[in-house]
């Protein structure tokens, strides 16, 4: 949930892809009790009204999936779950979901769909992880190998890109994980059977040990919990993660790069538990940098990636995947063209190719 797999692969030299496309219902990279419902709640209950009493329509479609963000951005908060006017079958589905998976939190909040009412969701925050079934470590073939010999990737860390620019519905994670797990397992086994024994010298062992234990060895510095809170305060606002603009992205990137260069090296851990927190904080900072740099690079809007300053899709210039890799200590962004056989029909007018509009188009 803190991007550890992608962070380890990135530092080993692998390529990471599709960090600009966020999954708005997945509490991953920056977990936070946000105002938007989780994906499961949106699947079972969609009766939202804004602060002016108007219904907000949400669907599993890229542009509409940002409907709650757009309402907040237009100043029409707070967003409410309107139980009183919801269809009875929606209320029953929500009640069962709350009983099965969210009972303790629902009881604490006093949330009982069966009793009706309008329940407030706190406005202004947002939580999201990069779309796990789209982005991740870039595989170079169908064995899920990467550009690093011997490194194979599976599950939600594998950048299969089979869902595209947004996550349309729940249930895809197990499917992709089963396929990539099987293929990566076979590929890794075949590689291991052929590769010669690898010996690691003492100098490399000492270097890796220092990298792993850095926060234990630091005698003074910053708490991982505090640095994580600063990072969340920087990244979580909806106008950074979901309603994007160059000026705001650059401002957030300035803070994240400061965390990376000044605070992360001085994280302090008093025990193995805090050492784990330090590494998670370090990895979340790295993932935040990935999100911001790919979001800045893609100067268009597509799927779950909405740029307020570039509200249109730009074909064919941006029919590409973005890839990140480390190059001499810097994070570089490159383009990988999407095969033309997968392109939309460019002979059709833009309005016919993309019938749903982003705000500002």
């Amino acid at each position: 949930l803190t991007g550890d797999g992608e962070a380890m692969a990135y530092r080993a030299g692998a390529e990471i892809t599709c960090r600009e496309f966020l999954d708005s219902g997945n509490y991953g990279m920056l977990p936070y009790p946000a105002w938007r419902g989780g994906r499961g709640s949106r699947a079972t209950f969609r009766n939202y009204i804004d602060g002016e009493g108007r219904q907000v329509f949400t669907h599993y479609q890229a542009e509409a999936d940002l409907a709650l963000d757009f309402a907040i951005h237009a100043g029409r908060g707070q967003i409410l779950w309107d139980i009183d006017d919801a269809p009875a079958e929606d209320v029953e589905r929500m009640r069962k979901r709350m009983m099965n998976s969210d009972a303790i939190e629902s009881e604490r909040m006093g949330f009982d769909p069966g009793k009706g009412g309008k329940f407030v969701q706190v406005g202004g925050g947002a939580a999201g992880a990069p779309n796990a079934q789209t982005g991740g470590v870039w595989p170079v073939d169908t064995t899920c190998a990467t550009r690093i010999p011997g490194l194979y990737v599976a599950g939600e860390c594998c950048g299969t890109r089979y869902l595209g620019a947004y996550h349309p519905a729940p249930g895809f994670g197990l499917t992709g994980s089963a396929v990539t797990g099987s293929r990566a397992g076979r590929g890794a086994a075949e590689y291991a059977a052929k590769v010669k024994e690898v010996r690691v010298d003492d100098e490399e062992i000492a270097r890796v040990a220092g990298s792993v234990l850095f926060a234990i060895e630091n005698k003074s510095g910053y708490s991982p919990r505090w640095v994580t809170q600063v990072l969340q305060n920087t990244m979580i606002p909806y106008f950074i993660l979901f309603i994007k603009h160059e000026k705001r992205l650059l401002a957030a990137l300035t803070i994240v790069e400061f965390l990376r260069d000044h605070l992360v090296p001085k994280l302090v851990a008093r025990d193995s538990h805090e050492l784990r927190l330090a590494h998670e904080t370090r990895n979340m900072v790295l993932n935040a940098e990935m999100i911001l740099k790919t979001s800045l690079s893609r100067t268009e809007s597509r799927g779950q990636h909405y740029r307020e300053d570039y509200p249109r899709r730009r074909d064919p210039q941006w029919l590409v995947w973005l890839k990140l890799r480390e190059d001499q200590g810097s994070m570089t962004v490159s383009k990988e063209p999407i095969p033309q056989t997968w392109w939309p029909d460019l002979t059709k007018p833009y309005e016919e190719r993309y019938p749903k509009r982003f705000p500002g188009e």
Side-chain angles (χ1 to χ4, degrees), residues 3 5-11 13-20 130 134-139 147 151 153 157 159 286-287 290 294 321-326 331-334:
E6 288 89 341
M8 290 188 289
Y10 173 83
R11 294 187 184 107
E15 296 172 314
I16 313 296
T17 190
C18 297
R19 276 326 192 202
E20 69 273 34
T134 291
V137 184
W138 182 274
R147 65 184 296 270
L151 178 62
V153 60
C157 289
L286 176 61
N287 272 271
M290 292 178 180
T294 51
W321 295 297
L322 291 179
K323 297 194 298 184
L324 297 161
R325 61 177 291 192
E326 185 177 19
M331 185 180 293
T332 63
V333 184
S334 62

Side-chain angles (χ1 to χ4, degrees), residues 73-361:
H73 195 50
R76 299 201 306 271
Q78 296 174 328
I79 302 297
L80 308 178
W81 273 341
D82 188 0
I83 309 295
D84 289 337
D85 294 332
E89 57 269 23
D90 280 6
V91 174
E92 181 61 17
R93 282 199 299 268
M94 177 60 78
R95 186 187 67 81
K96 289 181 178 179
R97 172 176 170 77
M98 292 300 171
M99 288 177 60
N100 292 336
S101 62
D102 300 315
I104 295 176
E105 184 68 8
S106 300
E107 183 178 353
R108 185 187 68 80
M109 295 168 58
F111 178 70
D112 183 353
K115 295 181 180 179
K118 293 178 173 62
F119 290 85
V120 177
Q121 295 185 310
V122 179
N131 187 340
Q133 282 71 54
T134 291
V137 184
W138 182 274
V140 298
D141 59 28
T142 56
T143 71
C144 299
T146 69
R147 65 184 296 270
I148 306 302
L151 178 62
Y152 290 77
V153 60
E156 294 193 340
C157 289
C158 187
T160 55
R161 311 175 298 286
Y162 74 91
L163 287 188
Y166 68 98
H167 194 302
F172 287 98
L174 183 58
T175 303
S177 296
V179 173
T180 56
S182 175
R183 289 178 175 269
R186 288 195 187 115
E190 291 172 0
Y191 176 87
K194 297 176 183 178
V195 71
K196 296 179 180 179
E197 182 182 3
V198 176
R199 294 188 179 276
V200 183
D201 60 37
D202 292 341
E203 184 178 344
E204 177 65 7
I205 292 174
R207 186 195 68 80
V208 172
S211 176
V212 170
L213 300 173
F214 79 104
I216 288 283
E217 294 174 349
N218 285 339
K219 302 306 178 186
S220 63
Y222 307 97
S223 162
R225 294 177 178 85
W226 179 74
V227 176
T228 296
Q229 186 64 63
V230 174
L231 176 66
Q232 290 178 335
N233 292 344
T234 301
M235 293 293 295
I236 279 172
Y238 77 88
F239 50 80
I240 300 297
L241 280 181
F242 293 109
I243 310 293
K244 305 173 186 178
H245 190 286
E246 180 182 22
K247 291 183 179 179
R248 297 192 295 269
L249 292 172
L250 286 172
L253 182 60
T254 298
I255 299 298
V256 168
E257 289 178 336
F258 175 77
L259 300 182
R260 178 198 68 195
D261 297 337
H262 188 72
L263 302 187
V264 167
K266 293 291 291 180
L267 291 172
V268 176
R270 295 168 295 181
D271 52 37
S272 57
H273 174 70
E274 287 192 344
L275 179 61
R276 186 263 300 174
L277 293 178
H279 281 285
E280 289 182 346
T281 298
R282 181 186 180 211
N283 292 339
M284 284 193 288
V285 170
L286 176 61
N287 272 271
E289 183 183 357
M290 292 178 180
I291 291 172
L292 294 171
K293 287 189 173 177
T294 51
S295 296
L296 281 163
S297 296
R298 186 175 287 274
T299 53
E300 64 154 5
S301 293
R302 189 178 301 272
Q304 200 66 38
H305 168 74
Y306 174 64
R307 284 285 298 265
E308 193 174 21
D309 44 347
Y310 294 97
R312 290 176 64 87
R313 282 142 290 206
R314 298 170 65 187
D315 300 337
Q317 298 97 315
W318 282 107
L319 293 174
V320 301
W321 295 297
L322 291 179
K323 297 194 298 184
L324 297 161
R325 61 177 291 192
E326 185 177 19
D327 184 14
Q328 297 182 346
S330 297
M331 185 180 293
T332 63
V333 184
S334 62
K335 295 180 180 179
E336 179 77 18
I338 294 173
Q340 289 195 21
T341 54
W342 298 352
W343 285 15
D345 186 353
L346 299 187
T347 65
K348 292 183 178 180
Y350 181 88
E351 291 73 17
E352 191 175 338
R353 260 182 288 149
Y354 301 112
K356 294 190 176 296
R357 302 271 74 80
F358 283 111
E361 277 195 273

